[in-house]
Amino acid sequence: MSAWENAGESNEWYTPPHVFEALGVGFDEDVAAPVDRTHVCVPARRFITDNSLERDWTGFIWMNPPFGHQSTKRAWLAKFFDHGRGIALTPDRTSAPWFREAWERADLVLFTPKLKFIRPDGSVGESPGTGTCLWAAGPSAVSALRRAAGRGLGIIAQPERIAA
């Protein structure tokens, strides 16, 4: 999760299994899956490994997209919320414009402690510089985030819709 941890190596980082155990759900699709899923723990039936933003997504989805530039996060989150059914994982960057845009569209957000992500070789990474958050889109995702919070994965926040 930190640039210094893998300089010159892969930028692939996989979600640790305890996240999925806490969520207690399976997914129809992992829409940002790596080609080599040897050390991937996502409980999904289908995996999209390339050109995901140009493809149709179906069912209840898991999304741990590239953490690159804010324009990258915006594109992935826009498609995620347009799809409307799933859970997404991003860095916890509450002051970033992309985060605030996503906040306006989320049904629920779970802020997690710093997750130690899995490297492509299966080893566990160091503690990242920031926490992560899980975004819920749709009722099944809201239930899963509430379940995960109850199991100690993090704290829940619900965006308040204020009429203008």
Side-chain angles (χ1 to χ4, degrees), residues 10-11 13 21 39 58 75 99 104 114-115 135 144 154-155 158:
S10 173
N11 64 357
W13 292 94
E21 292 163 10
H39 299 288
T58 58
F99 189 100
E104 294 297 321
K114 294 179 181 182
L115 298 176
W135 303 86
I155 57 172
Q158 186 163 13

Side-chain angles (χ1 to χ4, degrees), residues 93-115:
R93 301 275 196 276
T94 58
S95 64
W98 67 265
F99 189 100
R100 291 175 177 267
E101 292 163 12
W103 181 263
E104 294 297 321
R105 298 189 70 186
D107 291 324
L108 199 69
V109 180
L110 177 73
F111 292 91
T112 71
K114 294 179 181 182
L115 298 176

Side-chain angles (χ1 to χ4, degrees), residues 56-139:
D56 289 332
W57 297 351
T58 58
F60 189 61
I61 62 118
W62 168 257
M63 185 182 86
N64 177 356
F67 278 20
H69 189 269
Q70 66 175 323
S71 63
T72 302
K73 289 183 206 67
R74 278 186 167 119
W76 282 92
L77 285 164
K79 182 159 177 118
F80 171 77
F81 287 117
D82 288 347
H83 177 72
R85 291 189 56 217
I87 297 172
L89 183 151
T90 69
D92 172 0
R93 301 275 196 276
T94 58
S95 64
W98 67 265
F99 189 100
R100 291 175 177 267
E101 292 163 12
W103 181 263
E104 294 297 321
R105 298 189 70 186
D107 291 324
L108 199 69
V109 180
L110 177 73
F111 292 91
T112 71
K114 294 179 181 182
L115 298 176
K116 291 185 178 182
F117 287 83
I118 311 299
R119 294 183 181 102
D121 67 3
S123 63
V124 177
E126 299 295 324
S127 183
T130 187
T132 55
C133 64
L134 299 174
W135 303 86

Side-chain angles (χ1 to χ4, degrees), residues 3-31:
W4 57 268
E5 254 200 291
N6 68 333
E9 297 176 23
S10 173
N11 64 357
E12 294 283 340
W13 292 94
Y14 310 142
T15 309
H18 76 274
V19 171
F20 300 109
E21 292 163 10
L23 291 169
V25 295
F27 298 91
D28 294 309
E29 285 184 332
D30 176 349
V31 298

